[in-house]
Amino acid sequence: MLKKGLLGQVIQHLCCLPGVGPKTAQRMAFQLLQRNRDNAKALAEILLKALAEIGHCQQCRTLTEQTLCEICADPARELALLCVVESPADVWTVEQATVFKGRYFVLHGHLSPLDGIGPDELGLDALEQILAKGEVKELILATNSTLEGNATAYFIGELAVKHKVQASRLASGVPMGGELEFIDRVTLLHAFKGRRNIE
Amino acid sequence: MLKKGLLGQVIQHLCCLPGVGPKTAQRMAFQLLQRNRDNAKALAEILLKALAEIGHCQQCRTLTEQTLCEICADPARELALLCVVESPADVWTVEQATVFKGRYFVLHGHLSPLDGIGPDELGLDALEQILAKGEVKELILATNSTLEGNATAYFIGELAVKHKVQASRLASGVPMGGELEFIDRVTLLHAFKGRRNIE
């Protein structure tokens, strides 16, 4: 009975956030409506603004409110390196973790014929246009290391060959801090295959 | 650099939610702006509506968008039982857990003279008016079992005595499923003091 009303609706909609169940949503709702009203208002308003204004970068297809995202608009970024990722979140992850100074191309998914996601949905025609310009020297395929991610990387690798661009794939292996005992067989196989000489 | 822009602002405001750090906020923002835009819009709109319309129940001071909350407006609720809790969240917790059929009074905090929170801030004058009507026969003091919660319960207990209303406090003891080995000393002391004969 109590779940009706505006408060109930707020809780219900908070439940759609990743990792938020009814109990957490309830705690969030009370915090937003009682202790933190100013921030709650700001959050709702900025969310509406973002939904209205944020679209895809014309060049790399990541999320941005401008025509070109900050990375594509940055003249200091190398044109010769292009990193292909599955989602805008991956762009952030790579930016935060590495010293990559090239540009990105966001697929917004991976090849999945059963779901009707083919090359057109991933914007591979736009990617081919970029490759055809001849500025890109290396295409880094940073799709996820899953069955679908690998298949997508393989498919895009063929495009790179067609346009005579060097394609590379992120290394597979034992994660830093990982113990051999707990590594799965396939990862260990890749780690052995990709072993490097100590200099 | 990437943290600027609308997306960065959305993430920053999501961080204010309880239990949400930068990493979770980022995941939430991408989900809201990419996969779940309809719900994101609904969430923002319902939050603004709730902030504008939800106020305090005139009688019990819990959160509601009406003059009287659903519980106070429900004629089936017993007038003789009044449960005093610290927050509207506690009302929900008691409603979900028990078969309590009386009404509530929400303090919105506990006595805390150092923070300038005295009887007036907790609405104890309104509580006294309710007690003075003579309808309430038992006042259940369900403030938290903390130092401040106990002090507040004690203070309100004095009010009850003044108005010749029976006051009671929730039982302290071993939680269901709890093992003696892991119970703190004070709780165990209360559990011993409050032991009950088996019938």
Side-chain angles (χ1 to χ4, degrees):
Chain A
M1 190 187 80
L2 273 169
K3 291 272 181 185
K4 282 183 208 159
L6 273 176
L7 193 55
Q9 286 181 52
V10 170
I11 292 175
Q12 197 186 322
H13 281 100
L14 283 169
C15 275
C16 76
L17 291 170
V20 176
K23 200 85 185 172
T24 314
Q26 187 177 315
R27 210 152 53 90
M28 287 177 169
F30 282 117
Q31 159 136 350
L32 286 170
L33 291 170
Q34 251 203 310
R35 279 170 233 154
N36 217 338
R37 292 178 72 96
D38 290 345
N39 186 83
K41 191 148 182 281
L43 169 63
E45 282 166 355
I46 201 76
L47 192 53
L48 283 178
K49 191 160 182 261
L51 284 165
E53 293 181 18
I54 288 184
H56 293 168
C57 169
Q58 275 193 344
Q59 196 166 311
C60 76
R61 311 205 330 149
T62 195
L63 294 176
T64 179
E65 68 261 36
Q66 273 118 27
T67 324
L68 280 184
C69 73
E70 285 182 57
I71 295 174
C72 286
D74 183 356
R77 290 287 184 146
E78 288 178 42
L79 287 170
L81 284 173
L82 191 68
C83 178
V84 178
V85 292
E86 289 190 21
S87 78
D90 295 338
V91 174
W92 284 47
T93 308
V94 176
E95 281 295 299
Q96 279 161 17
T98 68
V99 288
F100 179 69
K101 286 294 165 213
R103 299 191 176 177
Y104 296 90
F105 188 85
V106 179
L107 301 173
H108 290 289
H110 44 243
L111 288 177
S112 182
L114 288 179
D115 301 319
I117 299 174
D120 288 350
E121 283 71 24
L122 301 184
L124 295 190
D125 43 347
L127 181 61
E128 278 209 73
Q129 283 173 24
I130 296 173
L131 295 181
K133 282 189 201 162
E135 286 166 340
V136 177
K137 300 299 171 207
E138 185 181 351
L139 194 66
I140 301 171
L141 301 169
T143 52
N144 289 334
S145 193
T146 56
L147 204 64
E148 297 88 351
N150 285 335
T152 309
Y154 184 80
F155 187 90
I156 299 174
E158 304 268 280
L159 293 184
V161 170
K162 193 172 123 191
H163 290 279
K164 299 193 176 64
V165 174
Q166 174 66 47
S168 63
R169 187 96 175 95
L170 293 189
S172 284
V174 184
M176 292 306 290
E179 297 182 34
L180 280 203
E181 191 181 342
F182 303 112
I183 303 292
D184 65 290
R185 274 197 323 177
V186 182
T187 304
L188 203 52
L189 186 69
H190 279 284
F192 264 84
K193 274 191 186 164
R195 67 188 181 277
R196 301 175 62 174
N197 291 327
I198 297 170
E199 286 168 20
Chain B
M1 190 186 79
L2 273 170
K3 290 271 183 187
K4 284 183 205 156
L6 274 175
L7 193 56
Q9 286 182 53
V10 171
I11 292 175
Q12 197 187 321
H13 281 99
L14 283 169
C15 274
C16 77
L17 291 170
V20 175
K23 200 85 185 170
T24 313
Q26 187 178 314
R27 208 153 54 92
M28 287 177 169
F30 281 116
Q31 159 138 352
L32 287 171
L33 291 170
Q34 251 204 310
R35 277 170 236 156
N36 217 338
R37 293 177 73 97
D38 289 346
N39 188 83
K41 191 147 182 282
L43 169 64
E45 282 166 355
I46 200 77
L47 191 53
L48 283 178
K49 191 159 183 262
L51 285 165
E53 294 181 18
I54 288 184
H56 292 169
C57 169
Q58 274 194 345
Q59 195 165 312
C60 76
R61 310 202 333 148
T62 194
L63 294 177
T64 179
E65 67 262 34
Q66 273 118 27
T67 324
L68 281 183
C69 72
E70 285 182 57
I71 296 174
C72 287
D74 184 356
R77 290 287 183 146
E78 288 178 42
L79 287 169
L81 285 174
L82 190 68
C83 179
V84 178
V85 292
E86 290 190 20
S87 77
D90 295 338
V91 174
W92 283 46
T93 308
V94 175
E95 282 294 301
Q96 281 161 15
T98 69
V99 286
F100 178 70
K101 286 294 165 214
R103 298 192 177 176
Y104 296 90
F105 187 84
V106 179
L107 301 173
H108 290 289
H110 44 244
L111 288 177
S112 181
L114 288 179
D115 301 319
I117 299 174
D120 288 351
E121 283 71 25
L122 301 183
L124 295 190
D125 43 345
L127 180 62
E128 279 208 74
Q129 283 174 22
I130 295 173
L131 295 181
K133 283 188 200 163
E135 286 166 340
V136 177
K137 300 299 171 208
E138 185 180 352
L139 193 66
I140 301 171
L141 301 169
T143 52
N144 289 333
S145 193
T146 57
L147 204 65
E148 298 88 350
N150 286 335
T152 309
Y154 184 80
F155 187 92
I156 299 174
E158 306 267 280
L159 293 184
V161 170
K162 193 171 124 193
H163 291 277
K164 300 193 177 63
V165 173
Q166 175 66 45
S168 62
R169 186 98 174 93
L170 293 189
S172 284
V174 184
M176 293 305 291
E179 297 182 33
L180 280 203
E181 190 180 344
F182 304 112
I183 303 292
D184 64 290
R185 275 197 322 176
V186 183
T187 303
L188 203 53
L189 187 69
H190 279 282
F192 264 85
K193 275 190 186 167
R195 67 187 180 279
R196 302 175 63 175
N197 293 328
I198 297 169
E199 288 170 16

